[in-house]
Amino acid sequence: MKTIDELLDEGVAGKRVFVRADLNVPLDGTTITDDGRIRAVLPTVARLAEAGARVIVASHLGRPKGAPDPAFSLAPAAARLGELLGADVAFATDTVGDSAKAVVAGLGDGQVAVIENLRFNAGETSKDDAERGTFADRLAGLADLYVGDGFGAVHRKHASVFDLPARLPHAAGGLIATEVGVLKKLTEDVKRPYAVVLGGAKVSDKLGVIDHLLEKADRILIGGGMAYTFLKAQGHEVGASLLQEDQIPAVQEYLKRAGERGVEFVLPVDVLVAPSFPDLKTKAPANPETVTVDAIPADAMGLDNGPETNRLYASKLADAATVFWNGPMGVFEHPDYAEGTRAVAQALIDSDAFTVVGGGDSAAAVRILGFDENAFGHISTGGGASLEYLEGKTLPGLAALED
C-alpha cells in the first residue's frame, strides 16, 4: 500500500485530503476523558497541513442510530485537535450537507477542518452496498485524495473505511503503518517466549483470537470476567461471577488443545470477591475479600485477580521476549479492583520483552492508572482491529488501501 511519505513526495499542496481518523474518544458530557486517539492521528494531520494540504478529518464517535444525536457530536474532538495542533480547526455540523461543503470550500492551504460524526448518516454503516456506495460518492465529492489513518475502524466494512478509498487516490497514514508493522511482529518471526494476556468481560469476544493464538503463543494468561468461564470449565464453582455457560464446551476444548500443543494456560489462583458490583460513580469503598478460586462464595462475584495471582502472572511474564495484552484483569475503574490490571501493566514494564497493549480498555487503563505510555513497546489505538488481525482475518480498511 502507498504510504503517506510517498503521497507527500508527489505533492499535496492545495489539494483537499480526506483523512479517515479515529476520534472515537470517551466523553463525560462534552469533556474528553482520554484524548489518546486524537494524539495518535496528530502527526499525520500535522504533516499534511505543513505540506500545504487542505485537510478534512472525519471519524465516527459512539453508536448513533444513523441520525444526528448531540450526545455523539465530534465538536469536542475537533476543539481538542485544534488545541493539539496549535491552530484553528473549522467544524462542519453535518457530514456531506451544506455545512460540510461550505467548510471545505473555505479551507486555505495548510488549514484543517473536522466534519460531523460519520455515523449520523445511515449510509456509513449500512450493510447494503448501494447505500454505502452512495454515501461514499458524496464523501468523495469533498476531496481529491484519501488517507486512511483510523486503525480502530479498519475492521469495519463501512463507507468511509472500505468504499471511499476505491473512489479516490489513496494512501495509508503514519498511524496505520505503525500499527500494521507492530502486529506483524506478533504474527511473523515472533521472538520467544511469546506470552499473551487476555482479559475483559466475555470469553465469546476472544474465542477467535484464542483459537488462532493456540498456534502461535507459548503461554496464555487469562483474567477479567472471562476467567470465570475458564474456572468453571475446570470444575470450580464461581458463585455470582460473570459466566458464559454456553461457552464452557469451547473453553474445555481450548484447554485440551493447549495441553496437546504444549501451550501453557495460566488462570487465577485467587480472586477478590464482593456481594455486588462496585459503584463506579462514587467509587465508594468496596471492601472486597480475597479467596482462593476453589472457595468463591455462592453469593459473591469475582471482580479482580488476587495478590497470589498477581505474583504468578508477573513471574510468567518476566522471561517473555514478546507480550501482547488485551483486556483488563478486573474492574480497574474502581480503586479497590485495579491492582490486577496494575500488576500486569507493571510486569510488562519490568520485563525485557517487546510489549504491545492491544487498545480499548487496556490502553485506557494504562492512562487512568498513571503509567508512562513510553514504557511500553506500543499502545494500539484499536482493540477490536488488533484482535481481528491476530485472528488472521482480512480487515476491510486495510484491504481497501492496497493498490
Side-chain angles (χ1 to χ4, degrees):
M1 62 180 68
K2 179 183 284 188
T3 67
I4 189 173
D5 293 332
E6 295 172 278
L7 193 69
L8 291 170
D9 286 344
E10 293 171 359
V12 295
K15 295 183 179 179
R16 302 168 300 164
V17 181
F18 188 104
V19 177
R20 196 347 174 149
D22 180 8
L23 308 182
N24 185 28
V25 292
L27 294 173
D28 182 2
T30 59
T31 301
I32 297 171
T33 57
D34 181 359
D35 67 355
R37 284 175 170 161
I38 302 175
R39 288 187 285 111
V41 77
L42 188 66
T44 290
V45 174
R47 290 183 70 192
L48 289 166
E50 289 165 4
R54 303 179 181 193
V55 187
I56 307 148
V57 182
S59 176
H60 71 285
L61 192 153
R63 296 186 178 183
K65 305 299 183 182
D69 183 339
F72 298 107
S73 174
L74 278 175
R80 181 57 179 153
L81 178 62
E83 291 173 359
L84 292 169
L85 283 171
D88 290 337
V89 170
F91 181 66
T93 56
D94 57 27
T95 55
V96 289
D98 292 342
S99 178
K101 293 174 182 176
V103 165
V104 171
L107 287 175
D109 293 358
Q111 293 185 325
V112 179
V114 174
I115 63 174
E116 188 54 285
N117 191 335
L118 292 164
R119 292 186 182 176
F120 285 0
N121 189 303
E124 170 67 2
T125 59
S126 176
K127 294 182 180 180
D128 182 87
D129 291 348
E131 186 177 11
R132 277 199 331 275
T134 297
F135 184 49
D137 287 340
R138 298 181 69 188
L139 290 172
L142 298 174
D144 305 304
L145 303 170
Y146 176 94
V147 172
D149 216 26
F151 180 74
V154 293
H155 58 314
R156 307 295 188 190
K157 192 177 181 181
H158 290 170
S160 66
V161 176
F162 178 75
D163 302 274
L164 183 55
R167 289 158 167 78
L168 293 170
H170 51 265
L175 173 61
I176 278 186
T178 297
E179 294 272 14
V180 172
V182 166
L183 288 169
K184 284 184 177 180
K185 291 183 179 181
L186 299 178
T187 54
E188 303 173 11
D189 194 24
V190 181
K191 292 183 178 179
R192 299 185 179 279
Y194 178 19
V196 176
V197 186
L198 297 176
K202 296 180 178 180
V203 173
S204 56
D205 293 340
K206 304 289 198 302
L207 287 177
V209 74
I210 292 172
D211 184 68
H212 202 70
L213 287 171
L214 284 172
E215 309 296 322
K216 301 281 187 181
D218 297 301
R219 62 185 70 124
I220 300 174
L221 288 63
I222 302 292
M226 63 185 286
Y228 299 97
T229 301
F230 276 87
L231 292 170
K232 182 73 171 180
Q234 287 190 325
H236 296 289
E237 293 302 324
V238 297
S241 305
L242 186 63
L243 176 65
Q244 289 186 286
E245 290 206 51
D246 62 322
Q247 300 299 331
I248 288 176
V251 166
Q252 289 173 329
E253 176 62 24
Y254 288 155
L255 292 171
K256 178 183 176 184
R257 282 176 54 197
E260 293 170 348
R261 296 190 60 81
V263 177
E264 184 181 10
F265 254 102
V266 187
L267 299 176
V269 294
D270 64 343
V271 294
L272 300 187
V273 300
S276 61
F277 198 83
D279 189 325
L280 298 183
K281 288 188 176 180
T282 66
K283 293 184 171 56
N287 300 316
E289 177 187 2
T290 301
V291 299
T292 59
V293 294
D294 56 1
I296 298 175
D299 60 350
M301 61 177 63
L303 295 164
D304 194 16
N305 287 346
E308 286 300 321
T309 300
N310 294 339
R311 285 188 280 271
L312 172 65
Y313 284 18
S315 72
K316 295 296 184 180
L317 297 171
D319 68 340
T322 304
V323 181
F324 173 72
W325 170 33
N326 179 278
M329 299 293 99
V331 188
F332 72 92
E333 300 92 340
H334 192 287
D336 288 353
Y337 302 109
E339 198 55 37
T341 301
R342 188 190 309 277
V344 166
Q346 189 62 54
L348 265 64
I349 292 171
D350 292 342
S351 76
D352 293 324
F354 173 64
T355 57
V356 179
V357 180
D361 286 340
S362 309
V366 163
R367 300 183 183 105
I368 289 171
L369 297 177
F371 287 97
D372 179 359
E373 295 179 45
N374 295 320
F376 302 89
H378 179 69
I379 297 180
S380 178
T381 57
S386 295
L387 289 175
E388 291 199 14
Y389 189 99
L390 293 181
E391 286 180 45
K393 291 183 176 180
T394 297
L395 305 188
L398 297 184
L401 293 175
E402 297 289 348
D403 292 328

PDB file of all heavy atoms in Angstrom, residues 326-350:
ATOM      1  N   ASN A 326      -4.421  -7.708  25.944  1.00  0.00           N
ATOM      2  CA  ASN A 326      -5.703  -7.098  25.598  1.00  0.00           C
ATOM      3  C   ASN A 326      -6.739  -7.456  26.654  1.00  0.00           C
ATOM      4  O   ASN A 326      -7.064  -8.627  26.830  1.00  0.00           O
ATOM      5  CB  ASN A 326      -6.175  -7.572  24.218  1.00  0.00           C
ATOM      6  CG  ASN A 326      -7.516  -6.976  23.821  1.00  0.00           C
ATOM      7  OD1 ASN A 326      -8.562  -7.460  24.222  1.00  0.00           O
ATOM      8  ND2 ASN A 326      -7.481  -5.908  23.037  1.00  0.00           N
ATOM      9  N   GLY A 327      -7.239  -6.453  27.352  1.00  0.00           N
ATOM     10  CA  GLY A 327      -8.315  -6.654  28.305  1.00  0.00           C
ATOM     11  C   GLY A 327      -7.861  -6.548  29.758  1.00  0.00           C
ATOM     12  O   GLY A 327      -6.865  -7.168  30.146  1.00  0.00           O
ATOM     13  N   PRO A 328      -8.575  -5.765  30.574  1.00  0.00           N
ATOM     14  CA  PRO A 328      -8.206  -5.609  31.983  1.00  0.00           C
ATOM     15  C   PRO A 328      -8.457  -6.882  32.783  1.00  0.00           C
ATOM     16  O   PRO A 328      -9.235  -7.748  32.387  1.00  0.00           O
ATOM     17  CB  PRO A 328      -9.103  -4.467  32.459  1.00  0.00           C
ATOM     18  CG  PRO A 328     -10.282  -4.497  31.546  1.00  0.00           C
ATOM     19  CD  PRO A 328      -9.754  -4.955  30.211  1.00  0.00           C
ATOM     20  N   MET A 329      -7.791  -6.961  33.937  1.00  0.00           N
ATOM     21  CA  MET A 329      -7.910  -8.122  34.816  1.00  0.00           C
ATOM     22  C   MET A 329      -9.096  -8.030  35.772  1.00  0.00           C
ATOM     23  O   MET A 329      -9.511  -9.041  36.351  1.00  0.00           O
ATOM     24  CB  MET A 329      -6.630  -8.291  35.636  1.00  0.00           C
ATOM     25  CG  MET A 329      -5.382  -8.528  34.808  1.00  0.00           C
ATOM     26  SD  MET A 329      -5.387 -10.131  33.937  1.00  0.00           S
ATOM     27  CE  MET A 329      -5.912  -9.618  32.290  1.00  0.00           C
ATOM     28  N   GLY A 330      -9.603  -6.819  35.957  1.00  0.00           N
ATOM     29  CA  GLY A 330     -10.728  -6.624  36.864  1.00  0.00           C
ATOM     30  C   GLY A 330     -11.420  -5.309  36.572  1.00  0.00           C
ATOM     31  O   GLY A 330     -11.180  -4.675  35.531  1.00  0.00           O
ATOM     32  N   VAL A 331     -12.258  -4.881  37.495  1.00  0.00           N
ATOM     33  CA  VAL A 331     -12.995  -3.624  37.333  1.00  0.00           C
ATOM     34  C   VAL A 331     -12.045  -2.483  37.707  1.00  0.00           C
ATOM     35  O   VAL A 331     -12.156  -1.864  38.772  1.00  0.00           O
ATOM     36  CB  VAL A 331     -14.268  -3.617  38.203  1.00  0.00           C
ATOM     37  CG1 VAL A 331     -15.135  -2.404  37.884  1.00  0.00           C
ATOM     38  CG2 VAL A 331     -15.075  -4.895  37.981  1.00  0.00           C
ATOM     39  N   PHE A 332     -11.089  -2.214  36.817  1.00  0.00           N
ATOM     40  CA  PHE A 332      -9.992  -1.306  37.135  1.00  0.00           C
ATOM     41  C   PHE A 332     -10.450   0.126  37.386  1.00  0.00           C
ATOM     42  O   PHE A 332      -9.728   0.925  37.980  1.00  0.00           O
ATOM     43  CB  PHE A 332      -8.952  -1.323  36.012  1.00  0.00           C
ATOM     44  CG  PHE A 332      -9.407  -0.632  34.750  1.00  0.00           C
ATOM     45  CD1 PHE A 332      -9.143   0.705  34.533  1.00  0.00           C
ATOM     46  CD2 PHE A 332     -10.108  -1.332  33.777  1.00  0.00           C
ATOM     47  CE1 PHE A 332      -9.566   1.342  33.377  1.00  0.00           C
ATOM     48  CE2 PHE A 332     -10.538  -0.714  32.622  1.00  0.00           C
ATOM     49  CZ  PHE A 332     -10.259   0.634  32.411  1.00  0.00           C
ATOM     50  N   GLU A 333     -11.667   0.467  36.929  1.00  0.00           N
ATOM     51  CA  GLU A 333     -12.165   1.828  37.119  1.00  0.00           C
ATOM     52  C   GLU A 333     -12.400   2.141  38.597  1.00  0.00           C
ATOM     53  O   GLU A 333     -12.506   3.304  38.984  1.00  0.00           O
ATOM     54  CB  GLU A 333     -13.473   2.029  36.339  1.00  0.00           C
ATOM     55  CG  GLU A 333     -13.345   1.818  34.837  1.00  0.00           C
ATOM     56  CD  GLU A 333     -13.643   0.383  34.415  1.00  0.00           C
ATOM     57  OE1 GLU A 333     -13.575  -0.527  35.270  1.00  0.00           O
ATOM     58  OE2 GLU A 333     -13.955   0.178  33.224  1.00  0.00           O
ATOM     59  N   HIS A 334     -12.521   1.097  39.431  1.00  0.00           N
ATOM     60  CA  HIS A 334     -12.680   1.278  40.875  1.00  0.00           C
ATOM     61  C   HIS A 334     -11.345   0.953  41.554  1.00  0.00           C
ATOM     62  O   HIS A 334     -10.761  -0.102  41.286  1.00  0.00           O
ATOM     63  CB  HIS A 334     -13.781   0.362  41.415  1.00  0.00           C
ATOM     64  CG  HIS A 334     -14.189   0.684  42.822  1.00  0.00           C
ATOM     65  ND1 HIS A 334     -13.391   0.395  43.905  1.00  0.00           N
ATOM     66  CD2 HIS A 334     -15.303   1.279  43.324  1.00  0.00           C
ATOM     67  CE1 HIS A 334     -13.992   0.784  45.016  1.00  0.00           C
ATOM     68  NE2 HIS A 334     -15.144   1.330  44.686  1.00  0.00           N
ATOM     69  N   PRO A 335     -10.865   1.840  42.421  1.00  0.00           N
ATOM     70  CA  PRO A 335      -9.533   1.631  43.005  1.00  0.00           C
ATOM     71  C   PRO A 335      -9.370   0.319  43.762  1.00  0.00           C
ATOM     72  O   PRO A 335      -8.261  -0.219  43.839  1.00  0.00           O
ATOM     73  CB  PRO A 335      -9.357   2.837  43.936  1.00  0.00           C
ATOM     74  CG  PRO A 335     -10.721   3.399  44.143  1.00  0.00           C
ATOM     75  CD  PRO A 335     -11.477   3.099  42.898  1.00  0.00           C
ATOM     76  N   ASP A 336     -10.438  -0.219  44.314  1.00  0.00           N
ATOM     77  CA  ASP A 336     -10.330  -1.471  45.058  1.00  0.00           C
ATOM     78  C   ASP A 336     -10.149  -2.683  44.155  1.00  0.00           C
ATOM     79  O   ASP A 336      -9.800  -3.774  44.637  1.00  0.00           O
ATOM     80  CB  ASP A 336     -11.574  -1.683  45.938  1.00  0.00           C
ATOM     81  CG  ASP A 336     -11.612  -0.749  47.129  1.00  0.00           C
ATOM     82  OD1 ASP A 336     -10.608  -0.033  47.357  1.00  0.00           O
ATOM     83  OD2 ASP A 336     -12.634  -0.718  47.836  1.00  0.00           O
ATOM     84  N   TYR A 337     -10.389  -2.506  42.839  1.00  0.00           N
ATOM     85  CA  TYR A 337     -10.282  -3.626  41.903  1.00  0.00           C
ATOM     86  C   TYR A 337      -9.332  -3.320  40.746  1.00  0.00           C
ATOM     87  O   TYR A 337      -9.453  -3.882  39.659  1.00  0.00           O
ATOM     88  CB  TYR A 337     -11.665  -3.986  41.360  1.00  0.00           C
ATOM     89  CG  TYR A 337     -12.657  -4.341  42.444  1.00  0.00           C
ATOM     90  CD1 TYR A 337     -13.708  -3.497  42.773  1.00  0.00           C
ATOM     91  CD2 TYR A 337     -12.505  -5.523  43.164  1.00  0.00           C
ATOM     92  CE1 TYR A 337     -14.599  -3.816  43.777  1.00  0.00           C
ATOM     93  CE2 TYR A 337     -13.389  -5.855  44.173  1.00  0.00           C
ATOM     94  CZ  TYR A 337     -14.437  -4.995  44.481  1.00  0.00           C
ATOM     95  OH  TYR A 337     -15.315  -5.313  45.496  1.00  0.00           O
ATOM     96  N   ALA A 338      -8.370  -2.448  40.989  1.00  0.00           N
ATOM     97  CA  ALA A 338      -7.435  -2.037  39.938  1.00  0.00           C
ATOM     98  C   ALA A 338      -6.092  -2.752  40.015  1.00  0.00           C
ATOM     99  O   ALA A 338      -5.297  -2.680  39.079  1.00  0.00           O
ATOM    100  CB  ALA A 338      -7.204  -0.531  40.010  1.00  0.00           C
ATOM    101  N   GLU A 339      -5.841  -3.457  41.118  1.00  0.00           N
ATOM    102  CA  GLU A 339      -4.494  -3.968  41.344  1.00  0.00           C
ATOM    103  C   GLU A 339      -4.101  -5.059  40.350  1.00  0.00           C
ATOM    104  O   GLU A 339      -2.930  -5.153  39.954  1.00  0.00           O
ATOM    105  CB  GLU A 339      -4.345  -4.488  42.767  1.00  0.00           C
ATOM    106  CG  GLU A 339      -2.905  -4.634  43.223  1.00  0.00           C
ATOM    107  CD  GLU A 339      -2.093  -3.352  43.077  1.00  0.00           C
ATOM    108  OE1 GLU A 339      -2.639  -2.249  43.312  1.00  0.00           O
ATOM    109  OE2 GLU A 339      -0.917  -3.463  42.688  1.00  0.00           O
ATOM    110  N   GLY A 340      -5.047  -5.898  39.946  1.00  0.00           N
ATOM    111  CA  GLY A 340      -4.717  -6.936  38.978  1.00  0.00           C
ATOM    112  C   GLY A 340      -4.258  -6.355  37.654  1.00  0.00           C
ATOM    113  O   GLY A 340      -3.262  -6.804  37.069  1.00  0.00           O
ATOM    114  N   THR A 341      -4.979  -5.357  37.178  1.00  0.00           N
ATOM    115  CA  THR A 341      -4.612  -4.691  35.927  1.00  0.00           C
ATOM    116  C   THR A 341      -3.298  -3.937  36.090  1.00  0.00           C
ATOM    117  O   THR A 341      -2.429  -3.967  35.213  1.00  0.00           O
ATOM    118  CB  THR A 341      -5.740  -3.732  35.496  1.00  0.00           C
ATOM    119  OG1 THR A 341      -6.951  -4.483  35.335  1.00  0.00           O
ATOM    120  CG2 THR A 341      -5.410  -3.035  34.192  1.00  0.00           C
ATOM    121  N   ARG A 342      -3.145  -3.269  37.231  1.00  0.00           N
ATOM    122  CA  ARG A 342      -1.900  -2.545  37.503  1.00  0.00           C
ATOM    123  C   ARG A 342      -0.703  -3.508  37.512  1.00  0.00           C
ATOM    124  O   ARG A 342       0.365  -3.205  36.996  1.00  0.00           O
ATOM    125  CB  ARG A 342      -2.002  -1.829  38.846  1.00  0.00           C
ATOM    126  CG  ARG A 342      -0.836  -0.876  39.138  1.00  0.00           C
ATOM    127  CD  ARG A 342      -0.874  -0.384  40.580  1.00  0.00           C
ATOM    128  NE  ARG A 342      -2.173   0.146  40.937  1.00  0.00           N
ATOM    129  CZ  ARG A 342      -2.580   1.369  40.670  1.00  0.00           C
ATOM    130  NH1 ARG A 342      -1.785   2.194  40.021  1.00  0.00           N
ATOM    131  NH2 ARG A 342      -3.787   1.783  41.047  1.00  0.00           N
ATOM    132  N   ALA A 343      -0.895  -4.682  38.119  1.00  0.00           N
ATOM    133  CA  ALA A 343       0.193  -5.652  38.220  1.00  0.00           C
ATOM    134  C   ALA A 343       0.632  -6.146  36.847  1.00  0.00           C
ATOM    135  O   ALA A 343       1.831  -6.325  36.596  1.00  0.00           O
ATOM    136  CB  ALA A 343      -0.237  -6.825  39.100  1.00  0.00           C
ATOM    137  N   VAL A 344      -0.318  -6.386  35.943  1.00  0.00           N
ATOM    138  CA  VAL A 344       0.037  -6.816  34.592  1.00  0.00           C
ATOM    139  C   VAL A 344       0.799  -5.708  33.875  1.00  0.00           C
ATOM    140  O   VAL A 344       1.829  -5.963  33.231  1.00  0.00           O
ATOM    141  CB  VAL A 344      -1.223  -7.222  33.799  1.00  0.00           C
ATOM    142  CG1 VAL A 344      -0.912  -7.338  32.307  1.00  0.00           C
ATOM    143  CG2 VAL A 344      -1.772  -8.549  34.316  1.00  0.00           C
ATOM    144  N   ALA A 345       0.301  -4.477  33.955  1.00  0.00           N
ATOM    145  CA  ALA A 345       0.986  -3.364  33.296  1.00  0.00           C
ATOM    146  C   ALA A 345       2.412  -3.224  33.820  1.00  0.00           C
ATOM    147  O   ALA A 345       3.363  -3.044  33.038  1.00  0.00           O
ATOM    148  CB  ALA A 345       0.207  -2.068  33.515  1.00  0.00           C
ATOM    149  N   GLN A 346       2.587  -3.327  35.133  1.00  0.00           N
ATOM    150  CA  GLN A 346       3.916  -3.198  35.711  1.00  0.00           C
ATOM    151  C   GLN A 346       4.825  -4.347  35.289  1.00  0.00           C
ATOM    152  O   GLN A 346       6.017  -4.149  35.037  1.00  0.00           O
ATOM    153  CB  GLN A 346       3.820  -3.144  37.244  1.00  0.00           C
ATOM    154  CG  GLN A 346       5.140  -2.790  37.925  1.00  0.00           C
ATOM    155  CD  GLN A 346       5.640  -1.412  37.539  1.00  0.00           C
ATOM    156  OE1 GLN A 346       4.922  -0.424  37.664  1.00  0.00           O
ATOM    157  NE2 GLN A 346       6.873  -1.337  37.037  1.00  0.00           N
ATOM    158  N   ALA A 347       4.243  -5.546  35.192  1.00  0.00           N
ATOM    159  CA  ALA A 347       5.034  -6.701  34.763  1.00  0.00           C
ATOM    160  C   ALA A 347       5.537  -6.518  33.335  1.00  0.00           C
ATOM    161  O   ALA A 347       6.676  -6.914  33.012  1.00  0.00           O
ATOM    162  CB  ALA A 347       4.204  -7.976  34.879  1.00  0.00           C
ATOM    163  N   LEU A 348       4.716  -5.931  32.480  1.00  0.00           N
ATOM    164  CA  LEU A 348       5.158  -5.645  31.113  1.00  0.00           C
ATOM    165  C   LEU A 348       6.325  -4.670  31.123  1.00  0.00           C
ATOM    166  O   LEU A 348       7.315  -4.839  30.405  1.00  0.00           O
ATOM    167  CB  LEU A 348       4.003  -5.080  30.275  1.00  0.00           C
ATOM    168  CG  LEU A 348       3.211  -6.089  29.423  1.00  0.00           C
ATOM    169  CD1 LEU A 348       2.487  -7.104  30.310  1.00  0.00           C
ATOM    170  CD2 LEU A 348       2.212  -5.366  28.530  1.00  0.00           C
ATOM    171  N   ILE A 349       6.215  -3.642  31.942  1.00  0.00           N
ATOM    172  CA  ILE A 349       7.274  -2.638  32.026  1.00  0.00           C
ATOM    173  C   ILE A 349       8.559  -3.249  32.559  1.00  0.00           C
ATOM    174  O   ILE A 349       9.665  -2.960  32.077  1.00  0.00           O
ATOM    175  CB  ILE A 349       6.819  -1.459  32.915  1.00  0.00           C
ATOM    176  CG1 ILE A 349       5.685  -0.684  32.234  1.00  0.00           C
ATOM    177  CG2 ILE A 349       7.985  -0.523  33.224  1.00  0.00           C
ATOM    178  CD1 ILE A 349       5.037   0.358  33.113  1.00  0.00           C
ATOM    179  N   ASP A 350       8.440  -4.119  33.564  1.00  0.00           N
ATOM    180  CA  ASP A 350       9.612  -4.711  34.209  1.00  0.00           C
ATOM    181  C   ASP A 350      10.303  -5.755  33.338  1.00  0.00           C
ATOM    182  O   ASP A 350      11.472  -6.082  33.563  1.00  0.00           O
ATOM    183  CB  ASP A 350       9.217  -5.352  35.542  1.00  0.00           C
ATOM    184  CG  ASP A 350       8.792  -4.328  36.582  1.00  0.00           C
ATOM    185  OD1 ASP A 350       9.122  -3.131  36.409  1.00  0.00           O
ATOM    186  OD2 ASP A 350       8.124  -4.713  37.565  1.00  0.00           O
TER     187      ASP A 350
END
